[in-house]
Amino acid sequence: MTELIAGIRLPDSAIARAATQLVRDTEDDVLYNHSRRVFFWGALTGERKSLRYDSELLYLGAMFHDMGLTERYSTPDLRFEVDGANAAHDFMTSHGVAEQDIEDVWLAIALHTTPGIPEHLRPTIALVTAGVEMDVLGIDYHQFSHEHRDAVCSCHPREPDFKENIIDHFAAGIMRKPQTTFGNVKADVLALKDPNFTRTNFCSIILGSAWPG
């Protein structure tokens, strides 16, 4: 029987099982459990908002969304979100997934740290971000029942020091490429964790451009 947690059934297709194994083999417990929780928060949000979503696509987006933080999938110059999106793209392509579905998962992962946009897009994209925002930022925390929160976290534990741990994971994944934090929330991570970090200033770029006026 497939696993049922907080009323949400985990996808049990061949591609979902393969994704689970790949992420389990690649990420540590902190990122793996976080990614699984993101799926449940996203799915529960979809149920609460009566959205028609594809559970398998939501699962793939949730499971791959932080793969760009790992050494295996990190590139020297791309945002970690894009690295994770590209990893999902290659994985789904190898399993013969339709291009539209691949694009939705790619966008879901690439945009998951860009607030204010995903919520207006298709359900896979919106719900991955909703799941991330619940697990990391506590957004809509009280929209989830105690029973649902306990059920999810009993299966995929949230460590007592998860808040510090996840920030440390973000920092470790992007410290080598600080230029990729321009214009996104991860600049705040390096401002906290890297004493040598200097933010790129949008207005300074405008004023210092080659244009005469």
Side-chain angles (χ1 to χ4, degrees):
M1 294 180 64
T2 55
E3 195 171 2
L4 188 70
I5 299 171
I8 301 297
R9 193 170 300 280
L10 273 169
D12 192 38
S13 60
I15 190 173
R17 292 194 299 271
T20 301
Q21 190 62 57
L22 177 59
V23 176
R24 176 74 278 188
D25 291 343
T26 306
E27 296 183 348
D28 65 10
D29 288 345
V30 172
L31 290 182
Y32 174 77
N33 283 317
H34 162 59
S35 297
R36 295 270 282 198
R37 293 194 304 270
V38 164
F39 165 72
F40 286 108
W41 306 140
L44 286 165
T45 299
E47 298 292 331
R48 186 176 72 248
K49 294 185 174 182
S50 299
L51 296 179
R52 296 181 60 186
Y53 66 93
D54 185 308
S55 181
E56 183 175 270
L57 296 181
L58 175 59
Y59 185 74
L60 293 172
M63 293 307 290
F64 274 89
H65 86 276
D66 274 344
M67 286 286 263
L69 294 173
T70 68
E71 184 176 353
R72 178 174 177 179
Y73 289 101
S74 178
T75 62
D77 55 355
L78 296 179
R79 285 178 55 164
F80 89 90
E81 302 94 331
V82 174
D83 286 336
N86 288 343
H89 175 280
D90 293 345
F91 174 83
M92 295 173 73
T93 298
S94 73
H95 283 78
V97 177
E99 189 58 39
Q100 176 67 65
D101 292 340
I102 294 174
E103 180 180 321
D104 274 7
V105 172
W106 193 97
L107 286 170
I109 298 169
L111 291 174
H112 82 266
T113 62
T114 307
I117 294 177
E119 65 201 71
H120 302 289
L121 302 178
R122 290 182 292 275
T124 297
I125 305 165
L127 294 177
V128 168
T129 293
V132 171
E133 290 179 340
M134 164 57 175
D135 206 57
V136 177
L137 303 174
I139 291 177
D140 286 338
Y141 178 87
H142 294 291
Q143 296 297 315
F144 298 84
S145 69
H146 292 292
E147 292 77 14
H148 284 167
R149 293 196 303 266
D150 289 347
V152 172
C153 291
S154 67
C155 294
H156 296 290
R158 183 185 168 96
E159 304 83 357
D161 56 351
F162 173 77
K163 293 177 180 179
E164 289 291 340
N165 259 340
I166 196 64
I167 293 173
D168 286 340
H169 278 70
F170 293 150
I174 61 181
M175 197 82 75
R176 299 180 302 276
K177 45 183 181 179
Q179 74 284 357
T180 65
T181 66
F182 174 59
N184 67 78
V185 297
K186 290 304 182 285
D188 293 339
V189 172
L190 293 189
L192 177 66
K193 293 294 183 177
D194 183 357
N196 299 314
F197 176 65
T198 301
R199 291 177 185 267
T200 302
N201 186 282
F202 177 63
C203 292
S204 296
I205 294 175
I206 295 173
L207 296 172
S209 79
W211 289 103

